[in-house]
Amino acid sequence: ANEGLTLTGKIDNVASRYMFTQENGYTIIAIIPEEEVIRAGSLSTYMNIFIEIWIFAILFILVYYLIRKQIVENINKINQSLAQITNGNLETVVDVRSNREFASLSDDINSTVVTLKKYIAEASARIDKELEFAKTIQKFQSSYNNRSY
């Protein structure tokens, strides 16, 4: 009736677990001391913890390298391009296209530089006109001062 169940009891005054089954007219009995069951359970727990720590460490390393490759290296490329732009090289083009976000950021920076170059050209043209106007005033004033009365 209890066939296949794990039972507990004392065998030779040692707390043990046992189970039995009957096959082909034979009774097969398996006995293991309770102390070994506990030790095996603890060992199994320690092995599971050890494996979980290794899996976590491997995943951590993979995520670290993935983040480094996909994000940090691309940010460094963008920063290098921005450093060149900041130092006055407005011909620098930011071209980081590893994913949609970096492509969008590159396009936005490049668009900003194009707009900046346009404003610089407009300001330069305005300054040139103002200088021409100032020269005209100086010539007029010089010719007015050189007139004799």
Side-chain angles (χ1 to χ4, degrees):
N2 289 331
E3 184 176 331
L5 293 177
T6 303
L7 305 169
T8 58
K10 286 194 173 192
I11 298 176
D12 289 335
N13 268 343
V14 175
S16 301
R17 290 190 185 181
Y18 62 94
M19 65 185 306
F20 68 94
T21 186
Q22 293 183 344
E23 293 291 327
N24 297 327
Y26 294 99
T27 300
I28 301 170
I29 301 173
I31 302 171
I32 186 167
E34 186 76 28
E35 183 179 299
E36 287 186 34
V37 171
I38 293 171
R39 191 175 328 133
S42 296
L43 180 62
S44 175
T45 301
Y46 291 136
M47 287 298 293
N48 283 338
I49 291 171
F50 179 75
I51 290 170
E52 288 172 3
I53 289 172
W54 268 104
I55 290 172
F56 178 75
I58 291 169
L59 286 175
F60 178 80
I61 291 168
L62 288 174
V63 168
Y64 167 78
Y65 281 111
L66 181 66
I67 288 173
R68 183 173 175 195
K69 179 76 175 154
Q70 291 296 318
I71 296 174
V72 175
E73 287 180 8
N74 289 329
I75 289 174
N76 286 337
K77 288 178 187 175
I78 289 174
N79 282 340
Q80 289 170 356
S81 297
L82 284 173
Q84 291 176 5
I85 292 168
T86 303
N87 288 331
N89 184 0
L90 296 181
E91 300 306 316
T92 300
V93 175
V94 180
D95 190 25
V96 178
R97 305 223 169 265
S98 62
N99 61 38
R100 186 179 55 214
E101 290 79 12
F102 281 112
S104 175
L105 179 60
S106 294
D107 292 342
D108 291 346
I109 291 170
N110 293 331
S111 174
T112 301
V113 170
V114 167
T115 303
L116 179 62
K117 289 192 313 191
K118 179 181 138 191
Y119 287 146
I120 289 171
E122 289 173 359
S124 178
R126 189 174 60 245
I127 290 171
D128 287 344
K129 283 182 184 179
E130 290 174 3
L131 286 173
E132 280 299 315
F133 185 66
K135 285 179 186 178
T136 304
I137 291 173
Q138 283 178 339
K139 282 181 185 178
F140 178 74
Q141 194 174 28
S142 174
S143 67
Y144 182 76
N145 288 340
N146 289 336
R147 281 187 17 197
S148 48
Y149 290 99

